[in-house]
Amino acid sequence: MKISRFSEAQIIGILKEHQAGMSAPDLCRKHGISDATFYNWRRKYGGMEVADAKRLKALETENVKLKKMLAEQMMDVATLKEMLGKKLLRPGSRRNAVDWAMKEKSYTQRRACALAGIDPRVYRRASKRPADTELRARMKELASERRRFGYRRLHILLKREGWDVNWKKLYRLYREEGLTVRKRGGRKRAVGTRAPMAIPQGPNQRWSLDFVSDALADGRRFRIFCVIDDFSRECLATVVDTSLSGIRVARELDRIAEMRGFPCMVVSDNGTELTSNAMLKWQEDRQVEWHYIAPGKPMQNGFVESFNGRLRDECLNEHLFPTLRHARHLIAAWRDDYNHNRPHSSLDGLTPREYHQRSEEDQTLNRAHL
């Protein structure tokens, strides 16, 4: 706004001279102003006193400030709409927003920090954290090999390799590298009253059986017969075939028993293969107690259902199977990895095989003390 060399009091005095009888040309020559300036003064200040003119001047100045504030506020709103692709929750995202506002919108640092909600001192503070390049690289390699593992299991695997890292730091690096496992959706099921299942106190006390189905690349269906030791969570068998009758199931159970012995109890659902005459005869001949869960209550067979979820999430959903032979090979390799390498959260990070061996060692020590 251009500043006049005449004050409000001087302008009012000049206009009063004109009211007193002096002509406009004489006034202009006397005070060194143009005709246009004189008539603008008369239009704006005609009939006013000095106090009124000062009040008008203050209102104009205030109006200019308000217009400037409104323009800045509208610009801030527009900038925020462009800036907030995601919520600014962390200092890193707020710093990026400040950098963008300063570069793209020519904001000052202080104004951009106020807009992003970060203190200028926090924005200027340089991080002293180490880059952890090797750890990040190894974590990404493990995550690419085991795409369905979260940060907890990756932490266990890294500790096995000798990395001494706190789980909270690992979680931060895990989030920064964008390795969060995407949850797969599933249909919602009604949840009723659940009673805790008793856990066996030794291996081979109770086995759980169930079937999992999948399809080959050409659409042909196949089934997987899964056997779990409920104590060690060890997978004893994953039999893959297009058809699995009761006779075949009995033969596979005998094959497992040749290596481990017969269990005290077997838990299964009421599928036709498991309630057939062949299976009833097998139970009677081997003197094995068989418990059938209530129809429509898979939670009563929770150990094998949990295993089925891991099998589908980490193996079946991660591969396409062109042939049955290929499916058998991959599922067998995954089963071996599950038993010997994959840390199990309910076993305090041990693998099922390690837990089984520790149990045998504990039993041996107990017998020696007795």
Side-chain angles (χ1 to χ4, degrees):
M1 182 176 175
K2 186 177 180 181
I3 300 176
S4 174
R5 60 189 178 94
F6 293 92
S7 65
E8 291 81 4
Q10 291 173 329
I11 293 172
I12 296 298
I14 293 171
L15 293 178
K16 285 186 176 181
E17 289 181 22
H18 177 65
Q19 292 175 0
M22 184 177 290
S23 64
D26 293 339
L27 279 173
C28 291
R29 282 195 299 271
K30 178 181 176 181
H31 296 286
I33 59 176
S34 65
D35 294 343
T37 300
F38 171 76
Y39 287 113
N40 284 334
W41 286 353
R42 191 174 70 173
R43 176 177 54 82
K44 185 174 181 180
Y45 297 105
M48 288 186 178
E49 296 297 329
V50 176
D52 297 333
K54 289 183 177 180
R55 191 178 303 111
L56 177 62
K57 182 72 172 179
L59 289 174
E60 288 180 345
T61 304
E62 186 69 20
N63 191 36
V64 170
K65 291 180 180 179
L66 290 175
K67 285 183 177 180
K68 183 179 180 182
M69 289 175 61
L70 179 61
E72 290 179 350
Q73 189 70 22
M74 292 177 65
M75 184 177 179
D76 287 348
V77 170
T79 303
L80 277 173
K81 288 182 179 179
E82 295 183 49
M83 179 188 296
L84 296 179
K86 293 184 179 179
K87 292 183 179 180
L88 304 179
L89 302 178
R90 297 180 175 275
S93 60
R94 295 181 188 272
R95 286 193 184 94
N96 294 335
V98 171
D99 291 338
W100 177 84
M102 293 171 61
K103 181 179 179 181
E104 299 294 333
K105 300 295 182 179
S106 301
Y107 272 54
T108 63
Q109 185 185 103
R110 183 173 295 278
R111 184 181 171 192
C113 288
L115 190 62
I118 184 174
D119 191 275
R121 290 173 297 179
V122 177
Y123 170 74
R124 292 191 292 266
R125 180 181 178 274
S127 176
K128 297 181 180 179
R129 283 175 173 168
D132 296 309
T133 308
E134 295 181 0
L135 177 59
R136 290 173 186 265
R138 183 54 186 156
M139 182 173 61
K140 290 168 71 174
E141 289 177 6
L142 289 175
S144 63
E145 294 172 3
R146 302 175 179 273
R147 301 198 305 166
R148 303 306 299 175
F149 275 22
Y151 75 93
R152 290 183 179 87
R153 287 197 172 88
L154 291 179
H155 185 223
I156 293 172
L157 296 179
L158 288 170
K159 285 179 67 177
R160 288 180 185 173
E161 296 180 2
W163 293 93
D164 184 15
V165 56
N166 184 283
W167 71 266
K168 290 181 285 187
K169 176 180 179 180
L170 183 74
Y171 179 66
R172 175 177 59 82
L173 300 179
Y174 180 81
R175 291 289 300 272
E176 290 176 359
E177 294 296 330
L179 301 176
T180 307
V181 178
R182 176 178 169 270
K183 292 184 179 179
R184 293 190 171 107
R187 68 182 180 90
K188 295 182 179 178
R189 297 172 173 83
V191 178
T193 303
R194 297 185 179 182
M197 179 179 287
I199 300 176
Q201 300 304 308
N204 240 32
Q205 292 185 4
R206 189 175 69 203
W207 294 355
S208 294
L209 316 181
D210 201 8
F211 291 91
V212 180
S213 63
D214 203 52
L216 301 176
D218 59 6
R220 286 191 303 156
R221 306 293 299 180
F222 66 89
R223 305 183 75 194
I224 309 167
F225 174 55
C226 302
V227 184
I228 302 296
D229 187 313
D230 289 356
F231 172 73
S232 65
R233 313 301 199 277
E234 190 174 0
C235 178
L236 308 181
T238 49
V239 183
V240 181
D241 212 331
T242 54
S243 177
L244 293 166
S245 63
I247 298 174
R248 174 72 180 279
V249 170
R251 189 164 66 247
E252 293 296 337
L253 293 177
D254 282 334
R255 183 183 61 81
I256 300 172
E258 289 178 1
M259 297 180 289
R260 299 177 61 95
F262 289 100
C264 301
M265 176 186 286
V266 174
V267 181
S268 73
D269 58 17
N270 298 270
T272 55
E273 303 87 351
L274 304 175
T275 56
S276 62
N277 289 330
M279 290 309 306
L280 296 176
K281 186 176 184 304
W282 185 89
Q283 301 169 29
E284 184 178 356
D285 293 343
R286 274 64 173 181
Q287 297 296 310
V288 174
E289 183 182 355
W290 200 289
H291 173 72
Y292 291 104
I293 65 173
K297 299 289 184 180
M299 67 286 294
Q300 296 179 4
N301 200 10
F303 293 105
V304 74
E305 291 292 343
S306 175
F307 171 81
N308 292 346
R310 304 284 75 75
L311 172 63
R312 186 169 298 280
D313 186 51
E314 297 176 11
C315 182
L316 302 183
N317 289 345
E318 292 293 305
H319 301 286
L320 283 176
F321 305 112
T323 63
L324 195 62
R325 180 179 180 182
H326 184 252
R328 286 170 176 160
H329 173 73
L330 285 181
I331 293 172
W334 182 86
R335 170 178 165 262
D336 183 71
D337 181 73
Y338 176 88
N339 286 335
H340 295 89
N341 299 317
R342 183 186 185 277
H344 205 295
S345 56
S346 63
L347 303 180
D348 197 23
L350 299 176
T351 66
R353 193 59 192 165
E354 288 173 343
Y355 192 77
H356 180 89
Q357 291 173 350
R358 177 177 294 185
S359 172
E360 290 182 340
E361 292 172 0
D362 292 343
Q363 291 177 2
T364 302
L365 289 175
N366 290 335
R367 284 195 295 267
H369 289 308
L370 294 175

